[in-house]
């Protein structure tokens, strides 16, 4: 006891017989609430005690252990690890932590496959997933889309231009982001005519810039919402169908050499953009249409 004044042992020397007289029980760690990033040792086992009759924050080391991080956690097939630091419920992660560590991967049913591919639902699309929480053509086309033997045509509703009907060979992909065009307003304010001109002019430009054996029908262009630094703009994905793997590699190399200024010039020259900018500055800012972020041209079908 701390306040042991006036308490005496049964004899001149104290012994175990005096335990109840001289001592008080320590508080058990199971009564202590560990910090959010920690958990009670042994799940709150009554084998752990605080230093006094009541637990306090000085007993953290006695009573608590750090929770395991989700880093390296094996998510179920339909899920992927969440961004940032996530903690499991105990000192080791278990299958019960899947909702804490993982988030659902996007299903291939949400994938806007390029025009040169198709993936009917009856082929099992509902049971296949993209790599992350949203599907991206450059990384998920192989998993979600199959090669099409039928020709496809331009579609304003899907934001894609016409591409080649021949699927022999390989595909090169290049993605860049554009400021000056607000994707959330593009349908309402630009309209199908201007939007298709925007897509078609880029299609023609890339076909002419990547070799003599590539025609306009071999190039597909899609638009999607911008992300990150360019979140208020649009993401442009260009896919080029080549006859061989070697040609696809050459196409990727040719694309990587195209100067941004030349692509910017094509976009600024799109028929109708300037007039839309004057009438709806929130949708289009003609003087600011330019590449604000870009990826690396690469072959996505090997």
């Amino acid at each position: 006891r701390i306040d042991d004044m006036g308490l005496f042992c049964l004899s001149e020397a104290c012994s175990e017989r005096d335990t109840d007289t001289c001592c008080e029980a320590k508080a058990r760690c199971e009564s202590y609430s560990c910090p959010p990033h920690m958990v009670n040792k042994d799940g709150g086992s009554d084998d752990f005690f605080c230093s006094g009759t009541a637990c306090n924050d000085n007993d953290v080391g006695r009573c608590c252990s750090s929770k395991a991080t989700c880093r390296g956690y094996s998510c179920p097939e339909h899920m992927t690890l969440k961004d940032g630091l996530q903690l499991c419920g105990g000192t080791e992660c278990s299958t019960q932590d899947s909702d804490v560590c993982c988030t659902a991967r996007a299903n291939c049913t949400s994938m806007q496959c390029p025009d040169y591919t198709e993936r009917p639902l009856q082929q099992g699309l509902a049971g296949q997933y993209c790599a992350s929480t949203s599907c991206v053509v450059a990384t998920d086309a192989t998993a979600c889309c199959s090669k099409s033997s039928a020709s496809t045509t331009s579609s304003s509703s899907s934001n894609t231009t016409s591409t080649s009907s021949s699927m022999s060979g390989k595909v090169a992909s290049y993605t860049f982001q554009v400021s000056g065009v607000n994707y959330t307003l593009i349908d309402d304010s630009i309209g199908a005519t201007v939007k298709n001109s925007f897509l078609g002019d880029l299609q023609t430009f890339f076909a002419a810039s990547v070799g003599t054996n590539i025609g306009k029908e071999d190039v597909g262009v899609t638009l999607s919402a911008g992300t990150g630094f360019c979140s208020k703009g649009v993401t442009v994905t260009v896919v080029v169908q080549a006859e061989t793997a070697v040609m696809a590699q050459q196409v990727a190399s040719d694309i990587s050499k195209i100067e941004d200024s030349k692509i910017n010039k094509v976009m600024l020259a799109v028929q109708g953009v300037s007039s839309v900018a004057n009438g709806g500055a929130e949708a289009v800012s003609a003087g600011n249409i330019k590449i604000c972020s870009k990826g690396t041209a690469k072959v996505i079908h090997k």
Side-chain angles (χ1 to χ4, degrees):
R1 293 177 184 270
I2 298 176
D3 54 343
D4 59 357
M5 298 297 294
L7 299 177
F8 301 93
C9 295
L10 296 175
S11 61
E12 293 180 356
C14 294
S15 66
E16 291 183 359
R17 296 181 303 168
D18 303 301
T19 297
D20 290 341
T21 301
C22 298
C23 304
E24 289 180 298
K26 289 182 177 179
R28 296 185 184 277
C29 281
E30 63 183 357
S31 67
Y32 180 71
S33 296
C34 294
H37 66 286
M38 305 184 81
V39 65
N40 288 96
K41 290 184 177 179
D42 270 3
S45 168
D46 58 8
D47 292 333
F48 295 91
F49 300 89
C50 296
S51 57
T53 57
C55 299
N56 57 46
D57 289 343
N58 293 325
D59 296 305
V60 170
R62 292 173 177 267
C63 297
C64 307
S65 297
S66 296
K67 291 180 179 179
T69 68
C70 289
R71 185 178 301 142
Y73 185 83
S74 296
C75 294
E77 182 183 1
H78 66 287
M79 305 182 83
T80 185
L81 280 175
K82 291 180 179 178
D83 293 333
L85 179 65
Q86 308 295 334
L87 299 175
C88 295
T91 55
E92 294 183 359
C93 296
S94 69
T95 55
Q96 295 180 344
D97 296 302
S98 60
D99 289 339
V100 174
C101 296
C102 311
T103 187
R105 292 163 61 186
N107 195 286
C108 281
T109 54
S110 65
M111 176 79 172
Q112 172 72 51
C113 287
D115 277 352
Y116 61 82
T117 65
E118 62 180 7
R119 200 57 176 266
L121 291 177
Q122 58 267 31
Q123 292 187 8
L125 183 62
Q128 293 175 261
Y129 303 93
C130 297
S132 190
T133 55
S134 60
C135 296
V136 179
V137 171
T139 56
D140 298 308
T142 300
C144 294
C145 307
S146 62
K147 296 179 180 180
S148 171
S149 58
S151 61
T152 56
T153 57
S154 176
S155 169
S156 61
S157 62
S158 62
N159 288 340
T160 56
T161 57
S162 61
T163 54
S164 174
S165 60
S166 171
M167 281 309 301
S168 61
K170 310 298 176 182
V171 176
S173 173
Y174 177 55
T175 299
F176 58 94
Q177 298 196 82
V178 179
S179 62
V181 179
N182 188 329
Y183 181 74
T184 60
L185 300 174
I186 191 172
D187 284 327
D188 294 335
S189 299
I190 292 184
T193 301
V194 177
K195 181 173 62 178
N196 286 340
S197 295
F198 190 84
L199 293 167
D201 287 1
L202 284 175
Q203 185 186 20
T204 300
F205 170 77
F206 279 98
S209 302
V210 294
T212 56
N213 293 320
I214 300 298
K216 182 177 179 180
E217 68 277 6
D218 297 316
V219 181
V221 182
T222 63
L223 298 181
S224 57
T227 61
F229 179 72
C230 304
S231 60
K232 293 184 178 181
V234 296
T235 298
V236 181
T237 300
V238 180
V239 289
V240 182
Q241 172 68 44
E243 293 182 359
T244 66
V246 173
M247 287 180 62
Q249 292 288 357
Q250 184 59 52
V251 166
S253 176
D254 290 344
I255 290 177
S256 66
K257 296 175 183 177
I258 299 175
E259 297 177 5
D260 292 355
S261 59
K262 292 183 178 181
I263 301 177
N264 292 339
K265 185 176 181 180
V266 172
M267 294 187 293
L268 287 169
V270 172
Q271 183 179 2
V273 163
S274 295
S275 60
V276 172
N278 293 332
E282 292 182 351
V284 176
S285 177
N288 293 322
I289 297 179
K290 60 183 179 181
I291 293 176
C292 59
S293 174
K294 61 182 180 178
T296 302
K298 56 187 178 181
V299 176
I300 60 174
H301 285 278
K302 296 183 178 181

